[in-house]
Amino acid sequence: MNANAITQAGLARRHRTQKIMWGVFGLSSLVNMAALVLICGFLLVKGLPAISWSFLTEMPRDSMTAGGILPCILGTIYLSLGTMAVAFPLGVASAVYLNEYATPGRTLRLIRLGINNLAGVPSVVFGLFGLAFFVTFFGLGVSLLSGILTLSILVLPVIIGTAEEALKSVPQTYREASLGLGATKWQTIRLVVLPAAMPGMLTGAILGLSRAAGETAAIMFTAAVFFTPYLPTHLTDSVMALPYHIYVLATAGTEIDKTRPLQYGTALVLIVLVLGMNLGAILYRAKLQKKR
């Protein structure tokens, strides 16, 4: 067999392998898309009949078998936005230190290893930590503040990781040009590097926001309660939250069958709320990308 035949056989084998891999990736995408459509369609069919103006604007009543979910909606919004207000600046600051200031070596590798391991810790562990540290040790009680701080620690590894990758994607020539014009390192980071990396950093914020809004285990020990007749007005108030409300209705309610439509309706509202907050962040990210 001559060299040309061997080359042709190798090319044919690579093309065949490429087609197989494309097929596998395409099938995986279709399976994920089908699962998403199936879940959303199921919730839409089951939950849409429960959606009404009173459902969205009233307080729960009659052992939560009637009324609305207004305190749950507000509690979820407060927890999510409060978490981002704490975790995003801390995550960006940590990423700036790791990527721009820290000296490469064993210590830096250990820090990154710790961050990666922290991202894989189950959320219930964060909830127990928040219970012991914020609720008990600092005496904050089961409150909005305790939940925000616990969720901030939960989403911090994701934000740090995406923010650091965004900083790495900024060309080194940006930094060199700024320093060459006489700017200090901090001025270069603040005025050149951070604006260029911000769209990528917002990706981490979007992921963190989605996780914070949908967490149950992390808030059931620190912030959420079964029922409260008052809307939260202070950081020291306990709150109702959509994911914990779904858990309560499905497992701990006295009339689980009667609350079944409310469970689906609450789940549908939670998905729409998360999509809405993510959409706002995505539009803001797109606006920043246009300015670059």
Side-chain angles (χ1 to χ4, degrees), residues 35-103:
L36 178 62
V37 171
L38 184 63
I39 293 172
C40 292
F42 177 79
L43 288 178
L44 206 61
V45 171
K46 293 288 188 177
L48 199 58
I51 304 298
S52 64
W53 180 250
S54 60
F55 182 72
L56 299 175
T57 59
E58 291 183 0
M59 304 286 287
R61 61 177 187 271
D62 297 337
S63 299
M64 293 191 290
T65 60
I69 56 171
L70 177 62
C72 305
I73 296 174
L74 291 179
T76 301
I77 292 174
Y78 292 160
L79 284 170
S80 302
L81 297 184
T83 298
M84 286 300 101
V86 173
F88 188 69
L90 287 177
V92 170
S94 301
V96 167
Y97 170 76
L98 293 174
N99 193 72
E100 304 292 334
Y101 288 103
T103 303

Side-chain angles (χ1 to χ4, degrees), residues 99-100 163-175 192-198 201 292:
N99 193 72
E100 304 292 334
E164 192 174 0
E165 290 301 319
L167 290 171
K168 290 179 181 178
S169 68
V170 178
Q172 188 63 27
T173 53
Y174 285 24
R175 299 173 176 85
V192 177
V193 177
L194 283 179
M198 189 55 65
M201 292 178 176
R292 291 182 61 181

Side-chain angles (χ1 to χ4, degrees), residues 46-273:
K46 293 288 188 177
L48 199 58
I51 304 298
S52 64
W53 180 250
S54 60
F55 182 72
L56 299 175
T57 59
E58 291 183 0
M59 304 286 287
R61 61 177 187 271
D62 297 337
S63 299
M64 293 191 290
T65 60
I69 56 171
L70 177 62
C72 305
I73 296 174
L74 291 179
T76 301
I77 292 174
Y78 292 160
L79 284 170
S80 302
L81 297 184
T83 298
M84 286 300 101
V86 173
F88 188 69
L90 287 177
V92 170
S94 301
V96 167
Y97 170 76
L98 293 174
N99 193 72
E100 304 292 334
Y101 288 103
T103 303
R106 179 180 296 179
T107 302
L108 185 59
R109 289 196 298 271
L110 288 175
I111 292 174
R112 288 197 173 114
L113 179 62
I115 293 172
N116 292 333
N117 288 335
L118 197 62
V121 174
S123 58
V124 66
V125 176
F126 287 99
L128 292 173
F129 170 78
L131 173 63
F133 196 63
F134 300 120
V135 175
T136 304
F137 182 76
F138 280 106
L140 299 178
V142 177
S143 62
L144 184 60
L145 182 58
S146 296
I148 288 173
L149 294 176
T150 303
L151 289 173
S152 297
I153 298 174
L154 176 68
V155 303
L156 201 55
V158 176
I159 295 177
I160 292 175
T162 53
E164 192 174 0
E165 290 301 319
L167 290 171
K168 290 179 181 178
S169 68
V170 178
Q172 188 63 27
T173 53
Y174 285 24
R175 299 173 176 85
E176 294 171 353
S178 178
L179 293 172
L181 291 172
T184 63
K185 186 168 185 176
W186 169 239
Q187 288 174 330
T188 298
I189 293 172
R190 182 169 59 90
L191 301 176
V192 177
V193 177
L194 283 179
M198 189 55 65
M201 292 178 176
L202 287 177
T203 301
I206 293 169
L207 295 174
L209 184 66
S210 300
R211 187 172 184 188
E215 276 298 331
T216 303
I219 62 173
M220 66 188 302
F221 303 115
T222 58
V225 292
F226 182 86
F227 174 75
T228 176
Y230 307 106
L231 295 178
T233 56
H234 300 91
L235 288 174
T236 55
D237 293 339
S238 55
V239 296
M240 297 178 69
L242 290 171
Y244 185 64
H245 190 64
I246 296 170
Y247 168 78
V248 167
L249 292 180
T251 61
T254 56
E255 300 285 351
I256 293 179
D257 290 334
K258 288 185 179 180
T259 62
R260 195 79 66 190
L262 302 181
Q263 298 171 31
Y264 292 123
T266 305
L268 182 60
V269 171
L270 176 59
I271 289 179
V272 172
L273 182 64

